[in-house]
């Protein structure tokens, strides 16, 4: 069994950027080589800017190369919760951003003829409890009426048309969700950014940042050389660290974990997920799953509130394997070929937070829904550094500092884990 991402294991990097010379001066320095950073670099370079992308590890090393490969519709919070918090008009606007984000991925794939196993096979939310399905009925009604979203409900009696499992009490299917091979996609974005004129610098961690004057110009110190940038865009997600203290205190990194089986026979795959939907369920300790392009079952979840490191990944992976057998007894004898974990960047309100703070542009806090949104926000950030910040509809959302939190997530993980576990039990 391999203890690293299936997606990175089955994709070829667009190049080796570990020895590229860091330029002395650029228009835009992008910090982080995930979808936010890569998409920013691509779109800013296409807009004529000189761009250097600085990545502490390698391209796609963070959450972008470790996720479920699901570009799904909808916010990290429920649509009805969004209406309660922000009112109908803003909730609809926020929801539609995710549709636009999937459209952007589709456009990038089609325009550049990328071979990244992209497919609009739809997504489904599965009800863990009967009460959750009652809630889905109201959500589906609101989504159809207010957004025009073509969602469909599937009741328990018909659930086998969507999933080969009897543990769920119904589903809400949205045909606009998509799946893709995120290893191939991240590497393809890097190749496109290079073609557009950007430079990429792997193993170049930004260790210090100093503002020059009162605008957006900054001097950056990296482990591979220093540079001056006319603008800085931060796309470091759950891996945001010290030089960016203000942002770090607003990101709670939480581990999410995944196991992947050996390739399964076609008849088994057809039984498990006949329509190849991207799937997740309605628990706080969520399970999410899909079929990979080569017919494996990918099964992920929070498993427990923990960070990600090799021993946590194994412990969490073992919990998830048991959960997978419970949902899909058909794969009880299937070998597990991959097990890994990564960090999602949660905020207090589970909303995206993006804007400019003391001259540094940032886009963070995708709260586990960043495959589509990080790719999209890269374009929005490229617009922002070109003096067009209007496309960033998240900029006026307050993102308060998490009380008592200085970037040491353990205590918050314990308290949060207990709270969400109780909610799952009694909701
Ligand atoms: C296990 C898992 C499953 C998930 N599943 C899904 C899913 O199915 N669908 C979905 O929509 N979302 C999912 N997500 C969330 C999604 O993957 C992320 O929201 C998204 O990839 C974030 O992209 P990013 O570019 O902002 O950050 P990342 O991809 O995390 O990249 C940040 C990068 O910044 C670099 N970095 C940090 N600090 C510095 C520094 N000082 N200098 C230089 N570089 C630095 C890091 O090395 C890292 O490579 C999942 C996440 C995880 C972990």
């Amino acid at each position: 069994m391999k203890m690293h991402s299936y997606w990175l294991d089955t994709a070829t990097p667009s190049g080796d950027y570990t020895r590229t010379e860091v330029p002395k001066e650029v228009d835009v320095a992008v910090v982080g080589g995930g979808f936010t950073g890569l998409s920013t670099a691509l779109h800013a370079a296409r807009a004529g800017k000189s761009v250097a992308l600085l990545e502490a590890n390698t391209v796609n090393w963070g959450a972008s190369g470790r996720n479920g490969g699901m570009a799904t519709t909808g916010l990290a919070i429920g649509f009805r919760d969004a209406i309660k918090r922000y009112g109908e008009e803003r909730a609809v606007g926020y929801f539609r951003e995710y549709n636009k984000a999937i459209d952007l991925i589709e456009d990038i794939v089609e325009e550049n003829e990328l071979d990244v196993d992209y497919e609009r096979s739809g997504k489904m939310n599965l009800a863990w409890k009967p009460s959750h399905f009652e809630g889905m009925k109201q959500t589906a009604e609101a989504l159809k009426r207010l957004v025009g979203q073509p969602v469909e409900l599937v009741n328990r009696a018909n659930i086998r048309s969507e999933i080969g499992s009897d543990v769920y009490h119904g589903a809400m299917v949205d045909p606009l969700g998509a799946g893709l091979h995120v290893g191939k996609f991240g590497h393809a974005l890097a190749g496109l950014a290079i073609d557009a004129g950007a430079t990429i610098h792997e193993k170049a961690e930004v260790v210090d940042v100093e503002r020059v004057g009162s605008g957006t110009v900054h001097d950056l110190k990296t482990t591979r050389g220093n540079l001056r940038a006319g603008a800085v865009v931060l796309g470091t997600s759950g891996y945001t660290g010290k030089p960016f203290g203000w942002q770090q205190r607003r990101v709670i990194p939480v581990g999410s974990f995944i196991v992947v089986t050996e390739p399964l026979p076609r008849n088994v795959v057809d039984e498990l997920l006949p329509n190849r939907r991207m799937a997740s369920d309605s628990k706080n300790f969520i399970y999410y799953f899909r079929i990979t392009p080569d017919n494996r079952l990918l099964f992920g979840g929070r498993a427990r509130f923990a960070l990600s490191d090799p021993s946590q990944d194994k412990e969490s992976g073992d919990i998830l394997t048991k959960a997978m057998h419970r949902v899909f007894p058909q794969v009880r004898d299937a070998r597990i070929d991959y097990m890994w974990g990564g960090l999602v960047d949660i905020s207090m309100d589970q909303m995206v937070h993006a804007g400019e703070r003391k001259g540094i542009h940032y886009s963070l806090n995708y709260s586990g829904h960043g495959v589509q949104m990080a790719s999209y926000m890269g374009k929005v950030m490229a617009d922002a550094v070109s003096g067009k910040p209007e496309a960033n509809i998240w900029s006026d959302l307050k993102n308060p500092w998490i009380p008592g939190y200085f970037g040491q997530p353990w205590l918050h993980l314990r308290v949060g884990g207990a709270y969400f576990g109780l909610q799952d039990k009694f909701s």
Side-chain angles (χ1 to χ4, degrees), residues 1-10 65-70 257-264 288-301 313 316-318 320-321 324-325 331 334-341:
M1 183 175 65
K2 297 180 179 179
M3 293 298 293
H4 59 252
S5 164
Y6 157 82
W7 304 114
L8 295 183
D9 200 44
T10 53
R66 302 167 187 242
N67 56 64
M70 309 185 193
F257 306 90
I258 290 180
V259 294
V260 172
T261 67
E262 65 183 315
L264 302 169
Y288 50 87
F289 38 88
R290 57 164 293 176
I291 302 298
T292 64
D294 59 352
N295 283 338
R296 300 163 187 270
L297 176 61
L298 176 155
F299 193 97
D313 292 357
S316 302
D318 289 343
L320 279 178
T321 305
M324 178 176 76
H325 292 162
V331 298
R335 194 181 63 232
I336 304 293
D337 279 352
Y338 294 89
M339 193 179 268
W340 74 91

Side-chain angles (χ1 to χ4, degrees), residues 186-205:
H187 292 326
L189 281 181
L192 291 175
I194 293 285
D195 291 347
T199 58
I200 296 180
H201 311 280
E202 296 175 320
K203 307 277 180 202
E205 181 181 359

Side-chain angles (χ1 to χ4, degrees), residues 31-38 54-72 204-207 234-241 243-244 254-258 288 301 340-345 363-364 366-374:
V31 187
F35 296 160
T36 303
L38 292 165
L54 306 157
E55 164 54 52
N57 295 285
T58 45
V59 161
N60 236 359
W61 173 92
S64 299
R66 302 167 187 242
N67 56 64
M70 309 185 193
T72 53
E205 181 181 359
V206 176
V207 289
L234 187 66
T236 44
S237 170
Y239 300 88
T240 306
F244 306 99
V254 174
S256 190
F257 306 90
I258 290 180
Y288 50 87
W340 74 91
L343 299 177
V344 296
D345 52 346
S363 183
L364 304 160
Y366 305 112
S367 296
H369 292 242
V371 166
Q372 63 306 72
M373 192 45 67

Side-chain angles (χ1 to χ4, degrees), residues 93 130 138 154 190 221 228 233 251 287 292 322 329 381 397 403 408 418:
Q138 293 173 38
V154 182
K221 200 175 186 186
R228 175 162 290 188
V233 177
V251 170
Y287 301 150
T292 64
K322 286 198 189 105
M381 288 290 108
L397 276 178
Q408 304 294 336

Side-chain angles (χ1 to χ4, degrees), residues 69-303:
M70 309 185 193
T72 53
T73 54
L75 298 148
I77 61 168
F79 183 56
R80 285 179 300 131
D81 290 336
I83 292 175
K84 264 186 230 146
R85 266 198 223 167
Y86 306 110
E88 272 183 17
E89 196 182 328
R90 293 188 76 182
V92 168
Y94 292 143
F95 189 96
R96 287 203 172 123
E97 284 299 274
Y98 286 79
N99 286 352
K100 285 200 248 167
I102 303 171
D103 290 346
L104 176 72
I105 291 182
E106 188 163 293
D107 288 349
I108 295 174
V109 169
E110 284 177 1
E111 278 164 21
N112 300 286
E113 297 181 358
L114 301 184
D115 173 16
V116 296
D117 302 305
Y118 173 83
E119 210 174 322
R120 258 237 207 218
S121 45
K123 82 147 190 188
M124 62 176 163
N125 282 357
L126 291 150
W128 183 249
K129 294 187 172 180
S131 62
H132 297 178
F133 190 53
E134 291 310 308
M136 278 177 194
K137 287 180 186 166
Q138 293 173 38
T139 303
E141 186 281 319
L143 282 172
K144 282 186 189 169
R145 181 167 49 84
L146 297 170
V147 186
Q149 199 74 3
V151 290
E152 294 295 338
L153 291 163
V154 182
N155 62 25
R156 191 174 165 90
N158 295 320
I159 198 89
R160 285 263 166 181
S161 64
E162 287 289 349
I163 181 170
S165 175
D166 295 320
V167 304
Y168 292 109
H169 293 268
M172 184 174 75
V173 173
D174 187 336
L176 298 187
L180 69 162
H181 189 305
V182 284
K184 292 182 185 175
F185 182 62
H187 292 326
L189 281 181
L192 291 175
I194 293 285
D195 291 347
T199 58
I200 296 180
H201 311 280
E202 296 175 320
K203 307 277 180 202
E205 181 181 359
V206 176
V207 289
D208 197 19
V209 54
E210 203 173 302
R211 194 176 190 183
V212 181
S214 57
T216 60
V217 179
H218 283 82
D219 282 334
L220 301 177
K221 200 175 186 186
T222 87
T223 46
R224 288 220 284 118
N226 304 337
L227 73 163
R228 175 162 290 188
V232 177
V233 177
L234 187 66
T236 44
S237 170
Y239 300 88
T240 306
K242 277 224 165 11
F244 306 99
W246 186 86
Q247 286 86 359
Q248 186 190 16
R249 289 192 295 278
R250 286 159 176 81
V251 170
I252 307 184
V254 174
S256 190
F257 306 90
I258 290 180
V259 294
V260 172
T261 67
E262 65 183 315
L264 302 169
R266 179 66 193 255
N267 62 318
V268 175
V269 171
D270 284 345
E271 189 190 339
L272 300 183
L273 289 166
N275 306 313
R276 305 295 188 269
R277 309 275 193 214
M278 307 293 115
S280 62
D281 70 17
S282 56
K283 294 194 290 347
N284 283 310
F285 276 86
I286 187 176
Y287 301 150
Y288 50 87
F289 38 88
R290 57 164 293 176
I291 302 298
T292 64
D294 59 352
N295 283 338
R296 300 163 187 270
L297 176 61
L298 176 155
F299 193 97
R302 209 164 271 165

